[in-house]
Structure formats: structure tokens, C-alpha cells
Amino acid sequence: MTMDRQRLHDHALGAFLGVAVGDALGATVEFMLPSEIKFQYGTHRDIIGGGWLKLKAGTVTDDTEMALSLGRALIASNGWNVAAVAESFGAWLKTRPVDIGNTCRRGIQRYLMDGSLSGPFCEGDAGNGAAMRNLPVVLATLNDNAAFRQQTLEQAHLTHNHPLSDAATLALGEMARTLLKGGGVMECRAVVKALICAHPKFQFNPYPGRASGYIVDTMQTVLYHFFNTDSFETLVVDTVNRGEDADTTGAIAGMLGGALYGASAIPKRWVNKLEKKVVSEIHQQVSELLRLAKS
């Protein structure tokens, strides 16, 4: 493996492991307020499980599970097939996952009932569920801008059809692609500047202080901490300690942090806590998705 390919693999693996560790860390404090987290944990920085879902330490939630489900469909189809993605999401829903957002559930159930691969625009679809799971598309379309845009929007519209969700999912994906290809924080600032220019609601400085599942709150939290920290651990810890939808803000921050800093920058104590089968599938998917990007 050449140095460039080694670096790409490390940072792609970092992005996917970042989703999982951010998810598992954040799940403990999901729906808590920052003041409640501080009272109970001081600073929450270890994967200990519990939380409202009473999880075993290292268990991931819908953020990681839906990303893996999307990756399975891409790999099994040897490329893009939106119907295969919908089937994969449907199969996942039938396993009775420990956690799933209402908008994701509604979209998958619609597909299972009538086979439709997108719903009409809905004001209630401005959640973060499409953004949290899009990394497999990012990896598989690393060298194809048009395919990245098309596949991102098609996977998003299976459950979420809203301009703010679309814009955020594309911007996060563009940031991850930029970082994986060797770009840095400055290049990401240009992506975010364009997002805020098109949708001023995403302005995050000064930080408004909300970290809910509304895509604007999610983005403001993740972007504020992404641009104001200088290590993977600090980025993810600071993000999840904002509480509210902490598993998803943690997963998205972890994706960007892993893409920027690489797998080697993720604390070993976090990776070692994850379920072995999840870590194993992430390793396998990263190799396969990068192979799709090459072909």
C-alpha cells in the first residue's frame, strides 16, 4: 500500500470508527441538558453505556447501525442501487433496533408498505437522520462528484425530504470528502461558508447553544466544536457534553474528526469498548467501499 493509500485508508477508517465511538459515547447522555451532565458526570468522557436506553457499554445506536446498513447495500450491489438501500433499511427495522428516530421509522415503513423510494417534501423532515448515516456514500463516491450528490440525496429522501436536511447532508459529506482527500480545516471553512450563504440559519458563531435532533441545531453544535478544537478526543467530548441528541451529534463529530485526524488519533479506550462485531464490520466495509470508489 502506498503512503497516499495508507493515509486514505487510515482516515476513512477513522471516519467510520469515529461515527461508532461518538455514537456510543453520546448515547449515555442523550436527552440530558449540559447542566444535568455536569452534575452527574462532571465531564462525560468514557464509554460506560446506560443512559435512557440502559445500554451495555460500547453498544451503538441507530446512527452507526443505519450507516452500516447503507454500506451493506452498496457493497452487495457493487455500487449504487437505491432500492437495495431501502431493502437494507427495511431489513434493519425488522430486527427491532434499540433506537430509531420517528422520521426514519416513518420513511422506512412507507417503503415497506408501498415500495416508494421517496416521500413528498415535509416540514417535519428537517431532522438529522439522513446526515448521520451518509458516510458509506461519501467513501464509495470519493472520486465522483456527480455520483456523490445524486446518491446522497437519494438515500436522504428515503426518509427525509427537506431542503435543510439535504443541504446539511451534502455539506457534511463534502467536508468529509475534502478531509479524506488531504484537505484541512481551511478547505472545510469554504464548504461551510457556502452552506451558510445559501441557508443563513446554519450560522453557528456565536454558538446558539442547542443540540437537538433538528438539523440546524445539530449542525451548529458539530460545526462550532469542529472549528474550535484541535484533537479528535476534545472534539467528540465537547460535542456530546452539550447533551440533547448527543449520540447523533457525537457520531457526526466523530465522522469529521476521524476524517481529519485519522483512526490512529481515536482513543484506544473508546475503540476497545465497542462491540467486536461492529469494529470488524467497519474495517471490512471501509476496504470494500474504497474499492468501489477506485472502480
Side-chain angles (χ1 to χ4, degrees), residues 73-146:
L74 278 160
I75 293 161
S77 302
N78 203 33
W80 185 246
N81 180 339
V82 68
V85 176
E87 277 296 315
S88 189
F89 287 166
W92 170 72
L93 182 64
K94 288 172 183 174
T95 67
R96 300 194 167 187
V98 65
D99 189 24
I100 180 172
N102 290 331
T103 310
C104 288
R105 183 192 301 277
R106 190 171 64 237
I108 298 167
Q109 286 176 333
R110 186 203 66 244
Y111 166 75
L112 292 173
M113 286 191 309
D114 67 17
S116 59
L117 295 170
S118 70
F121 161 81
C122 175
E123 197 56 64
D125 283 6
N128 56 21
M132 72 190 188
R133 66 184 186 230
N134 195 47
L135 181 61
V137 165
V138 172
L139 298 179
T141 61
L142 210 49
N143 305 312
D144 189 333
N145 295 342

Side-chain angles (χ1 to χ4, degrees), residues 46-93:
D46 290 303
I47 293 177
I48 56 173
W52 76 279
L53 290 166
K54 299 180 170 55
L55 298 174
K56 186 180 162 200
T59 303
V60 295
T61 72
D62 53 337
D63 306 83
T64 310
E65 289 177 349
M66 289 199 83
L68 288 168
S69 184
L70 175 54
R72 278 178 216 130
L74 278 160
I75 293 161
S77 302
N78 203 33
W80 185 246
N81 180 339
V82 68
V85 176
E87 277 296 315
S88 189
F89 287 166
W92 170 72
L93 182 64

Side-chain angles (χ1 to χ4, degrees), residues 207 210-222 244 249:
Y207 176 56
R210 290 300 309 276
S212 78
Y214 175 44
I215 191 62
V216 172
D217 293 345
T218 296
M219 288 293 280
Q220 287 170 334
T221 297
V222 170
E244 297 193 68
T249 59

Side-chain angles (χ1 to χ4, degrees), residues 6 23 40 49 93 112 117 136 161-162 171 177 182 195 243 246 264-265 273 283 292:
Q6 259 181 332
D23 177 9
Q40 192 162 339
L93 182 64
L112 292 173
L117 295 170
N161 191 344
H162 193 286
R177 293 173 90 225
L195 171 70
S264 48
K273 275 285 185 189
H283 275 267
L292 286 176

